[in-house]
Amino acid sequence: MKMGITIVHFPHRSVCENIKFFAEYGFDAIGFDGPQFYDDVKDSTTGKVLAETIEKCGVAATVHHMIPKPDDKAACERFYDEMKTMKQWQEEYGLMDILSFDVWIEDRSRVTEMMQYAIDTFAGTGTKIAFEDFPLNTCERMQSGLNFSDESGILMDFGHTNVRLSAIGPNPANCFLENKGEGAPLMPGDNSVEAFRMAFLKKPLPVFELHLHNNNGIDDQHDFIENGTADFRGIAKMLKEVGFKGIASFEAGPALHGKTGGEADKATIESLKNWKKWLSED
């Protein structure tokens, strides 16, 4: 398992400075914001500098993007250009391990064309395509009509998982509970480590990347792994037991919790120390 960090939450340093900083402290994967990454790689000079920095620091690179609203024609046109540009960078440098997407549009049937385009565009390039929390179960996969390749899978957000597992009673937004219990908690309101295990193992596609952040089980707070109702100490042990070989990326938002600059760095490095300690425990 590689340990990653989403650097968009650390604006007090440049992108390349963030890569060097977090690599020095023991992170072996860096998560980039999609639009920012596109802005860097569309210019051949900055794209080369970015590639050289990633390679020199020896880190894996993941990019987290978003499928745009289908009614936003400008954003949709830009999306196709972004995919072509990122593919060109990948073909030249081969350093983008995972390209993932938020797919938050309720009517997913309207965005499947763009999702399929991403899958097809990066086929054979060495970049895995992952959709965040989609498909959550076999029913979603079958209904999507997408032709998933061997290089397409899931980015599973454990902060979101905690909210879903903690839900009590019927919840239309809770896909774990909708599909006849597939991937559901042991009982409504169960966010135990065993419930996380079940949700993880029931995914209909491979999980390539995890986003790690904690919350109160109600709101998507993007807090540090130590602060919330999800037992990340137990989750670390569970992931080791199931043999997860992908990238686990911290996605806490330090500024949301009053931490910026050096305070954000200190809290993040402390979380990394805790996570590594938990992984080493029997």
Side-chain angles (χ1 to χ4, degrees):
M1 183 192 319
K2 291 185 177 180
M3 197 60 226
I5 180 73
T6 54
I7 60 174
V8 70
H9 298 294
F10 301 87
H12 53 286
R13 281 184 297 269
S14 70
V15 169
C16 288
E17 287 172 342
N18 269 323
I19 297 171
K20 295 173 185 176
F21 178 86
F22 287 112
E24 182 179 342
Y25 276 96
F27 286 93
D28 41 26
I30 301 295
F32 299 90
D33 172 66
Q36 185 181 55
F37 184 82
Y38 166 72
D39 284 341
D40 285 337
V41 303
K42 71 180 180 182
D43 180 88
S44 60
T45 300
T46 56
K48 181 180 180 181
V49 171
L50 181 63
E52 290 174 345
T53 305
I54 293 170
E55 196 162 26
K56 183 176 180 180
C57 291
V59 293
T62 71
V63 178
H64 191 50
H65 212 330
M66 176 177 284
I67 301 294
K69 293 181 179 180
D71 295 333
D72 189 339
K73 293 183 179 180
C76 291
E77 290 177 4
R78 187 167 60 250
F79 172 82
Y80 291 108
D81 183 60
E82 289 168 345
M83 294 302 99
K84 292 175 184 176
T85 301
M86 290 182 188
K87 179 187 178 182
Q88 290 172 353
W89 186 87
Q90 172 63 8
E91 288 177 333
E92 183 169 0
Y93 299 107
L95 295 170
M96 182 164 49
D97 291 71
I98 300 171
L99 173 59
S100 62
F101 298 90
D102 276 325
V103 190
W104 53 270
I105 308 297
E106 288 188 10
D107 182 5
R108 288 192 171 98
S109 64
R110 300 181 65 197
V111 297
T112 53
E113 178 182 337
M114 286 178 280
M115 296 169 70
Q116 191 67 60
Y117 182 82
I119 293 171
D120 296 341
T121 296
F122 285 88
T125 66
T127 296
K128 295 182 176 70
I129 299 297
F131 299 109
E132 181 165 346
D133 297 338
F134 179 83
L136 284 173
N137 51 41
T138 304
C139 180
E140 276 196 332
R141 178 183 178 179
M142 298 301 292
Q143 289 177 348
S144 73
L146 289 167
N147 181 23
F148 292 102
S149 71
D150 292 339
E151 296 173 324
S152 50
I154 296 170
L155 184 160
M156 189 172 179
D157 187 304
F158 270 6
H160 301 169
T161 302
N162 189 49
V163 173
R164 288 191 176 92
L165 293 176
S166 301
I168 298 177
N171 182 353
N174 192 327
C175 297
F176 294 152
L177 300 180
E178 279 187 303
N179 194 29
K180 300 180 180 179
E182 181 184 331
L186 303 179
M187 62 175 60
D190 177 12
N191 72 331
S192 65
V193 172
E194 189 58 32
F196 269 87
R197 184 197 307 269
M198 185 181 295
F200 178 86
L201 293 177
K202 288 289 186 177
K203 291 292 167 286
L205 290 172
V207 177
F208 294 144
E209 186 175 3
L210 301 171
H211 276 178
L212 308 183
H213 55 96
N214 214 334
N215 55 59
N216 58 9
I218 301 171
D219 304 307
D220 187 23
Q221 297 170 310
H222 281 261
D223 208 339
F224 293 93
I225 56 173
E226 299 89 348
N227 305 329
T229 60
D231 176 8
F232 273 95
R233 185 174 190 168
I235 288 169
K237 181 179 179 181
M238 179 272 289
L239 290 172
K240 185 169 65 172
E241 290 173 348
V242 301
F244 177 63
K245 301 298 184 184
I247 297 175
S249 298
F250 287 159
E251 204 198 16
L256 299 175
H257 304 283
K259 298 183 186 299
T260 58
E263 288 186 338
D265 295 338
K266 182 178 179 181
T268 301
I269 293 165
E270 184 65 24
S271 286
L272 179 62
K273 290 179 181 177
N274 286 332
W275 182 255
K276 288 184 174 182
K277 180 180 70 175
W278 298 339
L279 285 173
S280 68
E281 294 174 347
D282 295 329

